[in-house]
Amino acid sequence: MFRWERSIPLRGSAAALCNNLSVLQLPARNLTHFGVVHGPSAQLLSAAPEGVPLAQRQLHAKEGAGVSPPLITQVHWCVLPFRVLLVLTSHRGIQMYESDGSTMVYWHALDSGDATPVQAVFARGIAASGHFICVGTWSGRVLVFDIPAKGPNIVLSEELAGHQTPITDIATESAQGQDCVADMVTADDSGLLCVWRSGPEFTLLTRIPGFGVPCPSVQLWQGIIAAGYGNGQVHLYEATTGNLHVQINAHARAISALDLAPEAGKLLSAAEDSFVHIWKLSRSPESSYIEVEHCHGECVSDTQVCGARFCDSSGSSFAVTGYDLAEIRRFCSV
């Protein structure tokens, strides 16, 4: 069971974007950072465990060429082995900051040369894999940036071509030195999933076809892919083979966010139907088949939920954002 704790006020509503919440826990300082997108700006907040906001910062998209200020599409903290960077994507490009947002260390402008006049140019979908940061784009390509241990000498090392429609989300997990392990999955607007093995050169292992609806959010845990779709379903696939093991009719409207608590194997799903559900993932000892159990359901009344994340790796608390909701709502286990 979870209960509603003290909310964290925002300066304005979260934008109606999927995956519109990023959380970075700093146990050594007993702080949690939250990042939320609203139009051409992103709000960064630091809060103590009891929910008292201690600091706020506002970041704006780098304008580049154009008349109107560009809209931000996502903000996300990337935890690398040696540093943490805050990545911000927009209709103009990709900005990387030190973890507190104080200093921009890298800017990558999007090339709109391949876009037709009716195509929107943007970046969306952010994840860290080893010492790389991967960012999706409107063209379906995934940009792979090689991140140094310190400093701004970030290099675009590779472009992955597995998708034909805009990337929606990217998920990774540590391969822990194992060869031929699927440790990254990318999703797009057609519902197609591409499963990759990261490394000095990324390798496409398998494709999981879509079925006519977008896949706004995806997660990866111990070889299990959790994919949330625009029809409210959550599918659980075997990463190495792409085989579908479980299909959950989780929500009445489109999924807006998925998250995983890796220590506990808990999966969080949130959708536009105002519900957040917690699921427990496991494997059958006999067959190694993926099994799922529903643990909790929470209704955020009269709210189009657009972001939801666990606040810790054990899944004992989570936070939710919603369109036209000027606060981050926090829920803790009891």
Side-chain angles (χ1 to χ4, degrees):
M1 292 292 294
F2 289 79
R3 72 164 182 266
W4 181 9
E5 293 283 307
R6 179 171 179 168
S7 296
I8 301 169
L10 296 171
R11 291 180 179 175
S13 160
L17 300 168
C18 292
N19 306 307
N20 192 2
L21 177 64
S22 185
V23 175
L24 175 67
Q25 191 183 30
L26 300 174
R29 297 170 58 189
N30 207 21
L31 285 178
T32 305
H33 290 337
F34 299 91
V36 181
V37 172
H38 176 70
S41 65
Q43 297 180 62
L44 307 181
L45 304 98
S46 300
E50 61 272 16
V52 179
L54 302 177
Q56 290 198 23
R57 187 188 297 273
Q58 203 158 22
L59 299 179
H60 295 272
K62 187 177 172 68
E63 300 214 0
V67 178
S68 59
L71 297 176
I72 296 175
T73 51
Q74 193 175 2
V75 62
H76 185 71
W77 275 282
C78 289
V79 180
L80 302 154
F82 35 75
R83 68 196 293 191
V84 178
L85 291 181
L86 177 69
V87 182
L88 185 152
T89 56
S90 72
H91 288 251
R92 296 276 195 275
I94 300 159
Q95 297 161 233
M96 298 188 188
Y97 292 83
E98 297 294 354
S99 62
D100 61 357
S102 59
T103 306
M104 186 167 73
V105 296
Y106 184 73
W107 156 252
H108 177 86
L110 292 175
D111 180 8
S112 60
D114 296 334
T116 66
V118 297
Q119 272 186 309
V121 175
F122 58 88
R124 179 180 62 191
I126 308 164
S129 179
H131 59 91
F132 299 102
I133 288 179
C134 303
V135 182
T137 66
W138 88 100
S139 66
R141 288 185 173 267
V142 177
L143 308 181
V144 180
F145 297 93
D146 194 345
I147 312 297
K150 59 181 180 179
N153 297 322
I154 295 168
V155 177
L156 175 61
S157 62
E158 194 175 355
E159 294 189 24
L160 308 181
H163 297 267
Q164 301 298 318
T165 59
I167 300 296
T168 52
D169 198 19
I170 303 175
T172 59
E173 73 169 342
S174 173
Q176 298 175 339
Q178 302 175 65
D179 292 330
C180 302
V181 169
D183 57 4
M184 185 173 87
V185 59
T186 52
D188 70 20
D189 268 344
S190 73
L192 171 69
L193 305 179
C194 287
V195 185
W196 308 81
R197 182 180 72 245
S198 66
E201 291 186 359
F202 282 63
T203 304
L204 178 61
L205 300 179
T206 187
R207 282 187 174 93
I208 301 173
F211 50 94
V213 293
C215 178
S217 197
V218 67
Q219 290 291 327
L220 184 58
W221 178 75
Q222 294 189 3
I224 300 171
I225 296 171
Y229 291 95
N231 61 358
Q233 291 183 344
V234 175
H235 290 190
L236 302 180
Y237 299 95
E238 189 72 55
T240 52
T241 62
N243 292 337
L244 175 64
H245 281 227
V246 180
Q247 176 178 304
I248 310 168
N249 293 314
H251 294 270
R253 298 191 65 182
I255 302 287
S256 55
L258 295 180
D259 196 22
L260 265 163
E263 288 182 8
K266 290 181 181 178
L267 174 69
L268 176 153
S269 66
E272 295 177 359
D273 61 1
S274 79
F275 276 89
V276 178
H277 290 293
I278 309 291
W279 315 83
K280 180 74 171 68
L281 307 185
S282 60
R283 286 186 183 271
S284 166
E286 294 81 19
S287 64
S288 292
Y289 257 61
I290 300 167
E291 298 180 340
V292 61
E293 175 189 358
H294 184 260
C295 300
H296 181 74
E298 190 74 46
C299 179
V300 187
S301 299
D302 304 320
T303 300
Q304 179 182 324
V305 175
C306 52
R309 290 276 176 182
F310 285 116
C311 298
D312 55 78
S313 57
S314 64
S316 62
S317 61
F318 64 91
V320 176
T321 59
Y323 178 64
D324 210 20
L325 184 68
E327 62 184 15
I328 300 172
R329 293 195 176 174
R330 297 168 67 250
F331 298 85
C332 296
S333 61
V334 293

